[in-house]
Amino acid sequence: QVQLVESGGGFVQAGGSLRLSCVFSGRTFSNYAMGWFRQAPGKEREFVAAIGWSGGSTYYATSVKGRFTISRDNAKNTGYLQMNSLKPEDTAVYYCAADRTVAVSTMSARAYDYWGQGTQVTVSS
């Protein structure tokens, strides 16, 4: 059974940076695309970024493009989300997700089979 565990969330001032990590276990990580989503209080879960199994393809939500970078290290079974120039509106619980067949450009959370428990990111103004 696939398990995903996020870490790296925290409290940061606007303009600051954080790097989230997502450790994958239970299957062969390099067979899965990985995505990051976020959910703010009272809002639906929204797509942030995704990366293909090899790391060669990435896709970003317009709201984070140019500020966030998604990456992966298949040797370490770990995915990352580097978040720079953070804004208060980036405050949310961030989730990593994995799926074997999802296309990188798919923004629907329903397309992903496996999810982590989430990590809180809070950006103060």
Side-chain angles (χ1 to χ4, degrees):
Q1 181 71 9
V2 171
Q3 290 188 326
L4 300 167
V5 179
E6 302 99 333
S7 63
F11 184 92
V12 64
Q13 290 188 334
S17 298
L18 284 173
R19 188 176 82 155
L20 306 183
S21 299
C22 176
V23 178
F24 177 103
S25 64
R27 292 289 186 273
T28 303
F29 183 47
S30 58
N31 288 340
Y32 290 75
M34 191 186 74
W36 286 93
F37 290 76
R38 65 187 182 187
Q39 188 166 18
K43 295 188 176 181
E44 293 187 355
R45 192 168 296 190
E46 66 170 354
F47 172 83
V48 175
I51 188 167
W53 62 271
S54 70
S57 299
T58 58
Y59 193 75
Y60 295 91
T62 302
S63 59
V64 306
K65 199 169 186 178
R67 299 188 298 123
F68 290 12
T69 302
I70 190 171
S71 62
R72 64 190 294 160
D73 185 339
N74 286 345
K76 295 182 178 180
N77 293 336
T78 302
Y80 304 97
L81 184 68
Q82 177 67 43
M83 305 186 294
N84 299 330
S85 302
L86 282 161
K87 305 175 181 180
E89 51 264 42
D90 294 319
T91 295
V93 177
Y94 282 71
Y95 299 90
C96 66
D99 192 87
R100 287 200 64 172
T101 61
V102 67
V104 170
S105 59
T106 300
M107 301 173 67
S108 171
R110 297 174 184 174
Y112 287 81
D113 279 342
Y114 302 103
W115 291 85
Q117 82 289 350
T119 185
Q120 176 71 45
V121 171
T122 303
V123 185
S124 66
S125 57

